[in-house]
Amino acid sequence: TPAQANEAAADAAWIDVCALTRTDFPAETLATLAAGGRQLLVDLQGLVRTPAIGALQRDANIGDVLHHVEVLKLNDVEAEVLVGSADPEKLQSLGVPEVVLTLGSKGAWVVTPDLLEHVPAVPVDGDVDPTGAGDTYSVTYIVQRVAGAEPVEAARVAAATVSEFLGTP
């Protein structure tokens, strides 16, 4: 709820918002989290998931939440749902200051109103379980941005950190 969000985020400068479905963080809650200059990195996966029991359903009916978002992280499937394509240029139309389109072993795209830059993945040997890679990427990206890194440099460090995470037995 907005009240819980305000209490939980009282001293935060950046918040990583990861939802299971879009009802986890309604627009009012995101507005509360973003209040006072707090920066939100929102993982789109939950916002495009409908809150229905059964097989996973996705749609683009996310409402008016993106104006609360500083960084939107999404993958190619989520981009297809939201804008009909994983084309980084289409993501500029969202009006989000920073968009990070992650593509697994194909790297990522950093998208801002003035920039489209591909950041290569750091290779990992063998087959790996990618569980936790997205969260690792997001947290590393935020830590780098807080430390003063520009978006592309934050993405490069995040890619290297994910590679190290996935390569750790």
Side-chain angles (χ1 to χ4, degrees), residues 1-12 15 17 25-40 65 67-68:
T1 67
Q4 291 168 320
N6 197 44
E7 182 180 334
D11 297 328
I15 299 170
V17 179
F25 290 93
E28 301 81 28
T29 302
L30 290 176
T32 298
L33 289 172
R38 292 185 287 248
Q39 306 296 308
L40 304 184
V65 299
H67 68 278
H68 302 297

Side-chain angles (χ1 to χ4, degrees), residues 75-137:
N75 66 23
D76 54 338
V77 172
E78 297 150 1
E80 290 274 346
V81 170
L82 190 61
V83 297
S85 168
D87 178 357
E89 287 183 19
K90 282 197 163 191
L91 297 172
Q92 284 178 314
S93 70
L94 294 173
V96 176
E98 296 173 37
V99 176
V100 180
L101 173 64
T102 59
L103 302 169
S105 64
K106 296 178 184 169
W109 281 90
V110 174
V111 179
T112 71
D114 303 317
L115 174 76
L116 294 169
E117 187 159 337
H118 182 258
V119 176
V122 176
V124 176
D125 291 332
D127 291 331
V128 296
D129 177 1
T131 303
D135 294 332
T136 301
Y137 193 102

Side-chain angles (χ1 to χ4, degrees), residues 40-79:
L40 304 184
L41 181 150
V42 174
D43 190 324
L44 189 69
Q45 74 175 354
L47 293 181
V48 296
R49 292 178 180 167
T50 62
I53 296 174
L56 180 63
Q57 302 281 328
R58 295 181 182 97
D59 66 38
N61 298 323
I62 65 171
D64 188 23
V65 299
L66 294 182
H67 68 278
H68 302 297
V69 177
E70 179 68 21
V71 180
L72 181 67
K73 185 179 93 45
L74 70 166
N75 66 23
D76 54 338
V77 172
E78 297 150 1

